Amino acid sequence: MRYLITGTAGFVGFHLAKRLLEDGHSVTGFDGMTSYYDVRLKQMRHSILERHPNFTAVIGMLEDAPALKNAANERPDVIVHLAGQAGVRYSVENPKAYFDSNITGSWNVLELARTLDVSHLMLASTSSIYGANQSIPYSENDRADEQLTFYAASKKAMEAMAHSYSHIYRIPTTAFRFFTVYGPWGRPDMALFKFTKAILEDREIEIYGEGRMSRDFTYIDDLVASIVDLSRIVPSEANRVKTAAVKDTLSAMAPFRMVNIGGGQPFGLLEFIEVIEEAVGKKAKRKLLPMQTGDMEKTFANADLLVALTGSKPQTSLEKGVRAFVDWYVREGTSFEFHTLPPAS
């Protein structure tokens, strides 16, 4: 099949494109190469993909509708929209970057899907959407109207816009909500990258929320496997889940579905740090700090719908996944710059 993936120079997009190319598909990758973090890391990811004859790279911003349209010259069967302004905390400092990319840019993707009449549109959402929700574990059917950051709000807006397009234009659409993805080639602004780098350089690690936070960590290979499985399950009444114990999110008005991708096994932040210490072979110098604005104290996925649809869920142990990241970091990741922010506009 022909795939158009936005964000192929990013962490998730790189791994998904690599898997699809290895499976025999053709992939056009669209990416803006923004400077939110070290661009050299993005360039290296793309250079690996470009070794494959069935990969085509197009550089452009999501806000640039003509550039995005140019990436679809091969008329893709499936669009996987992974690009966007990442980072929860940065959205407090520069919300406009999130509006431009995650709302305006996502609307451009919806328009492209409409004009191309694709067989399946897939959208990357986030567990941050659950915000102030008090129901644990987070289920796709939970009320999610109290986002704590503009990042989460921009993703919720994307989901709502996508449902309207799915209803009006009958675009089969799956929105999947990620839960703290990690692994080799990960982002330098994420905790695993920052902690590993600091420990190896004998610097303090900053632990927000005094270590009370917990996260449902998802290893990148598991995430990609779930996306690939879901890509084959085009939302329709024919595949509505009818098991009494699982409530499907398939819309009554549109071929639209939301699915959590997470293992349903949260780990405390201090436990996470201990796993990193074991993999690195060195103790961390810890600095406990208060909770930051917009941080969620806990994330915890209910993966019942994912299992009902695909028969599986993320299962890689935290120890195995962290070890894989540390091995990659020591081998290839030490030269990349720490999290850098462009100026707010």
Side-chain angles (χ1 to χ4, degrees):
M1 298 182 70
R2 296 183 302 275
Y3 284 79
L4 169 61
I5 302 176
T6 67
T8 42
F11 174 37
V12 176
F14 161 70
H15 281 278
L16 177 62
K18 187 170 179 290
R19 162 69 187 273
L20 291 171
L21 291 166
E22 290 169 352
D23 287 351
H25 303 288
S26 64
V27 175
T28 298
F30 184 83
D31 203 286
M33 294 288 179
T34 60
S35 59
Y36 175 67
Y37 60 82
D38 196 335
V39 175
R40 293 177 302 151
L41 178 54
K42 300 180 180 185
Q43 292 168 339
M44 283 190 66
R45 294 180 185 133
H46 249 200
S47 69
I48 292 171
L49 296 176
E50 287 170 338
R51 297 171 191 167
H52 201 289
N54 289 333
F55 179 75
T56 302
V58 178
I59 306 303
M61 300 295 286
L62 286 173
E63 303 93 304
D64 185 350
L68 186 59
K69 184 178 180 181
N70 183 54
N73 286 337
E74 296 298 320
R75 296 195 65 85
D77 303 300
V78 178
I79 295 177
V80 187
H81 178 37
L82 296 166
Q85 179 59 55
V88 173
R89 293 166 185 158
Y90 184 51
S91 68
V92 177
E93 179 181 337
N94 188 7
K96 188 177 185 299
Y98 294 76
F99 183 89
D100 292 343
S101 182
N102 298 356
I103 297 180
T104 302
S106 294
W107 175 70
N108 286 337
V109 172
L110 294 176
E111 277 288 284
L112 185 65
R114 176 182 68 82
T115 59
L116 293 176
D117 193 26
V118 295
S119 63
H120 198 176
L121 171 63
M122 305 187 74
L123 306 167
S125 191
T126 173
S127 59
S128 296
I129 273 181
Y130 291 107
N133 174 37
Q134 296 298 307
S135 179
I136 297 292
Y138 297 149
S139 172
E140 299 92 341
N141 291 287
D142 289 342
R143 179 171 173 267
D145 296 324
E146 297 176 333
Q147 284 73 49
L148 301 179
T149 63
F150 193 71
Y151 165 71
S154 70
K155 289 293 191 177
K156 181 66 184 294
M158 179 197 70
E159 287 189 0
M161 293 190 301
H163 181 272
S164 71
Y165 264 62
S166 180
H167 166 61
I168 296 169
Y169 304 111
R170 312 312 295 175
I171 304 171
T173 304
T174 300
F176 38 87
R177 295 172 174 174
F178 297 169
F179 283 73
T180 312
V181 186
Y182 73 102
W185 295 97
R187 289 184 1 227
D189 64 312
M190 297 294 285
L192 178 55
F193 201 115
K194 289 162 61 176
F195 289 171
T196 299
K197 183 178 179 68
I199 294 170
L200 286 170
E201 294 176 357
D202 203 33
R203 293 185 290 105
E204 281 185 334
I205 63 172
E206 296 179 335
I207 305 171
Y208 292 98
E210 288 85 26
R212 297 190 308 273
M213 293 188 293
S214 64
R215 293 290 181 265
D216 200 341
F217 293 95
T218 307
Y219 187 61
I220 183 62
D221 289 356
D222 292 338
L223 175 73
V224 166
S226 293
I227 295 173
V228 171
D229 287 344
L230 287 170
S231 73
R232 305 184 184 110
I233 305 169
V234 180
S236 71
E237 282 297 327
N239 57 40
R240 181 183 289 276
V241 174
K242 297 177 181 178
T243 306
V246 180
K247 186 176 181 181
D248 201 344
T249 58
L250 182 67
S251 171
M253 302 299 295
F256 177 93
R257 178 183 274 129
M258 299 175 298
V259 186
N260 286 339
I261 301 182
Q265 188 178 3
F267 285 82
L269 184 53
L270 297 181
E271 186 178 2
F272 177 55
I273 291 168
E274 290 172 0
V275 173
I276 300 172
E277 291 173 333
E278 179 66 26
V280 171
K282 187 177 181 180
K283 289 292 184 180
K285 296 179 178 179
R286 307 183 184 196
K287 182 179 181 180
L288 299 180
L289 296 170
M291 189 83 77
Q292 287 191 307
T293 301
D295 274 351
M296 296 167 64
E297 189 162 317
K298 186 173 188 174
T299 64
F300 186 175
N302 181 327
D304 290 349
L305 179 57
L306 177 65
V307 173
L309 290 168
T310 69
S312 63
K313 66 177 182 178
Q315 296 186 37
T316 299
S317 70
L318 189 63
E319 291 79 7
K320 181 179 179 181
V322 167
R323 165 57 65 187
F325 171 82
V326 170
D327 288 346
W328 168 81
Y329 179 82
V330 171
R331 187 175 64 250
E332 300 187 64
T334 56
S335 65
F336 297 119
E337 294 293 331
F338 191 56
H339 177 53
T340 57
L341 297 176
S345 57

